[in-house]
Amino acid sequence: MTTGTSDRDAGDESGAPPAPYARLLEEYRRVANVRNASGVLSWDQQVMMPEGGTPARAQQLSTLSSLSHDLLADDAVSDALAELDGAERGSAGGRTGSGTAADLTDAQSAAVREIRRKHERAAAVPTELIEEISTTASEALPAWKEAKAEDDFETFAPYLREHVELKREYAEHVDPDRDPYEVLFEDFEPCLSLDRAEDILTAMRETLVPMIDEIRASETDLATDAFTSLGTYAADEQEALCRDVLSTLGYPWERGRLDTAPHPFSTGTTFDARVTTRFDESDPLGSLLSTVHEFGHATYTLGLPDEHYGTPLGEDRDLSVHESQSRLWENHVGRSAAFWEHFLPTLVEQFPKAADVTPREAYEAANQVYEDNLIRTEADELTYHLHILVRFEIERALIAGDLDVDDVPAVWNDKYEAYLGVRPETDAAGCLQDIHWSHGNFGYFPTYSLGSAMAAQLYHAADADIADLDRDVAAGDFDALHEWLTERVHRHGARYETNDLVEAATGEPFTADAFLEYVTAKYGALYDLDSV
């Protein structure tokens, strides 16, 4: 049985808060609203904006980026934090400090902690640099799209080079005495050290690499072509299927929408969380599982408490936790045998050609371990993490100055051959496949694997708490799982730091153990491995 948290710990704010705390939240809400408005413009640029809109959009996003930065670094925030100094430094079990600090609840102290962290980081970086990073990202996005479409890395290379230089400068302003990549990683995962993250990633790699080798040597035949052998699947019909799966999982359409984008993503707030997907007409599973993945992000965002919108108590904990939600729904639900017992008839209704596919065959097709896949977002559950390793190593080398941008395609291809046994024939299928570097998001990729490990630990705990979760999934009943995740994860916002959140939800510190046990059992059974 896992442990829960009291209402007070979760964010009870009964009674009038101290005046400096109220002022601090007022200032922070302005920051949050500017950033959320920027998010809508960014969504539009990737989904709906006409191609010619880039020059204006670059200026708009740059202005909003500098405005949110200046608001966060403003003296008004600094002054309120100074009055509350020490309020967030006590234990989670009680009030600390004196004067106004003593009047803060645990949840309020956590909000002060989060705002202080962001304020100190913002105050260290010049506004002009923030504007330049934003402008570069806006201009890099269409360049990346063109480069990918034309298989022409040289079109994107100047923007990648500029991003690397700007992010090195950014890291130097934040902390010139530390590894710049470590500083950048903290933008996405501020609560786990890079060393701790690498320990978890290493444990995953040491189990996955020999397991993948054993699977590739296995003589077990899975129904890998259960869907791909049946012809093509029209994009508009796949979109209808993706809408069906979102409805099945419980996506509230009054607070969201589904669109297409070159790279699937989710964005928004607790009132408006949108998802995107893309289609491959040869295989409906790609768009389906991508949609389920983005649903996981959206359901986390939608599960944040409405009443704390615009404050850290109404914001996600950061990307490792966010990725845990997407990977949980994609892998532990969408790739489960129970899910295919329920959802296969819906797929067949949309695509009658699949009428002879059995739930077992659908399950096997969704869980095949590829020998020749080049694309991360289409990767299986195991080799996915080797895709992450390639990106992690390349961007660390770029930021450290150990790799020149011009050499990225060759190094990428060499690493794919070494780690995955395949070599991209084009840069479009190689180093240009992901959107993240066009945004300048160095340090993001490790959170995918960290999120996968966290997802397994959370799902294991949920399965122990919910009477028959497998039966619920097979029946298309996801209410209990939604409630468990909302109660244990979503409703806390950024109240807990990462490890504390996982421990509060599961009763155990965050490790890779549950993930390794899960994949060993699942894929050992699928491929009849001797090691299981």
Side-chain angles (χ1 to χ4, degrees), residues 58-59 61-67 69-70 125-138 162 166:
Q59 292 184 49
L61 289 173
S62 177
T63 297
L64 290 177
S65 181
S66 63
L67 177 58
H69 172 268
D70 289 348
V125 182
T127 300
E128 295 78 11
L129 179 57
I130 296 298
E131 290 178 341
E132 194 171 358
I133 290 171
S134 178
T135 299
T136 300
S138 294
E162 187 171 0
L166 291 171

Side-chain angles (χ1 to χ4, degrees), residues 411-491:
V411 172
W412 180 287
N413 294 346
D414 289 345
K415 286 183 179 292
Y416 258 70
E417 188 165 18
Y419 296 164
L420 287 146
V422 292
R423 191 173 186 87
E425 295 183 1
T426 67
D427 291 337
C431 62
L432 289 172
Q433 66 179 268
D434 290 305
I435 198 171
H436 302 67
W437 290 344
S438 75
H439 294 320
N441 286 346
F442 303 107
Y444 188 123
F445 282 114
T447 65
Y448 284 113
S449 290
L450 294 171
S452 295
M454 197 179 299
Q457 187 167 340
L458 290 169
Y459 197 83
H460 177 76
D463 192 30
D465 282 353
I466 297 170
D468 196 335
L469 181 54
D470 210 43
R471 181 190 60 200
D472 287 351
V473 173
D477 182 358
F478 301 100
D479 288 348
L481 181 57
H482 275 296
E483 290 169 7
W484 192 95
L485 290 170
T486 298
E487 174 68 19
R488 301 305 178 101
V489 180
H490 305 170
R491 75 181 180 98

Side-chain angles (χ1 to χ4, degrees), residues 253-514:
W253 290 102
E254 70 277 9
R255 291 196 182 197
R257 55 181 292 129
L258 172 68
D259 295 276
T260 58
H263 191 101
F265 71 99
S266 173
T267 189
T269 71
T270 185
F271 299 102
D272 174 4
R274 309 174 185 192
V275 300
T276 66
T277 194
R278 65 183 179 193
F279 307 108
D280 174 357
E281 295 200 346
S282 69
D283 185 2
L285 292 186
S287 63
L288 183 70
L289 291 171
S290 287
T291 302
V292 175
H293 177 100
E294 300 306 335
F295 165 82
H297 282 303
T299 198
Y300 180 20
T301 301
L302 293 165
L304 296 167
D306 291 357
E307 66 271 21
H308 293 306
Y309 168 76
T311 82
L313 301 178
E315 294 177 341
D316 62 86
R317 171 57 281 168
D318 293 308
L319 279 177
S320 295
V321 178
H322 230 308
E323 293 301 339
S324 78
Q325 301 306 286
S326 60
R327 299 293 283 170
L328 184 151
W329 284 95
E330 176 190 356
N331 293 328
H332 296 269
V333 176
R335 295 184 194 270
S336 70
F339 174 79
W340 285 102
E341 284 181 35
H342 173 74
F343 194 71
L344 183 59
T346 302
L347 185 148
V348 170
E349 186 177 349
Q350 187 64 50
F351 297 109
K353 70 180 76 173
D356 292 334
V357 176
T358 67
R360 175 67 189 187
E361 289 170 337
Y363 170 66
E364 291 182 0
N367 288 285
Q368 60 183 297
V369 176
Y370 296 102
E371 293 190 2
D372 57 357
N373 179 59
L374 292 165
I375 308 301
R376 176 185 63 85
T377 56
E378 298 170 6
D380 57 81
E381 195 174 4
L382 301 187
T383 61
Y384 181 90
H385 302 286
L386 304 185
H387 289 259
I388 297 300
L389 180 63
V390 169
R391 290 149 177 79
F392 177 55
E393 292 183 354
I394 287 177
E395 64 182 22
R396 285 206 77 173
L398 282 170
I399 297 300
D402 296 333
L403 175 64
D404 188 84
V405 166
D406 290 337
D407 296 326
V408 166
V411 172
W412 180 287
N413 294 346
D414 289 345
K415 286 183 179 292
Y416 258 70
E417 188 165 18
Y419 296 164
L420 287 146
V422 292
R423 191 173 186 87
E425 295 183 1
T426 67
D427 291 337
C431 62
L432 289 172
Q433 66 179 268
D434 290 305
I435 198 171
H436 302 67
W437 290 344
S438 75
H439 294 320
N441 286 346
F442 303 107
Y444 188 123
F445 282 114
T447 65
Y448 284 113
S449 290
L450 294 171
S452 295
M454 197 179 299
Q457 187 167 340
L458 290 169
Y459 197 83
H460 177 76
D463 192 30
D465 282 353
I466 297 170
D468 196 335
L469 181 54
D470 210 43
R471 181 190 60 200
D472 287 351
V473 173
D477 182 358
F478 301 100
D479 288 348
L481 181 57
H482 275 296
E483 290 169 7
W484 192 95
L485 290 170
T486 298
E487 174 68 19
R488 301 305 178 101
V489 180
H490 305 170
R491 75 181 180 98
H492 299 298
R495 159 68 179 89
Y496 292 106
E497 294 194 330
T498 304
N499 191 70
D500 293 335
L501 178 64
V502 174
E503 189 160 5
T506 70
E508 301 288 342
F510 175 37
T511 71
D513 293 350

Side-chain angles (χ1 to χ4, degrees), residues 93 178 212 341:
R178 284 197 295 146
I212 292 166
E341 284 181 35

Side-chain angles (χ1 to χ4, degrees), residues 201-216 369 382-383 385-386 389 418-420 515-516 519:
L201 297 176
T202 297
M204 295 172 71
R205 181 170 66 249
E206 288 176 350
T207 294
L208 292 178
V209 170
M211 182 185 297
I212 292 166
D213 287 343
E214 192 176 356
I215 286 171
R216 288 177 173 171
V369 176
L382 301 187
T383 61
H385 302 286
L386 304 185
L389 180 63
Y419 296 164
L420 287 146
F515 173 81
L516 299 178
V519 295

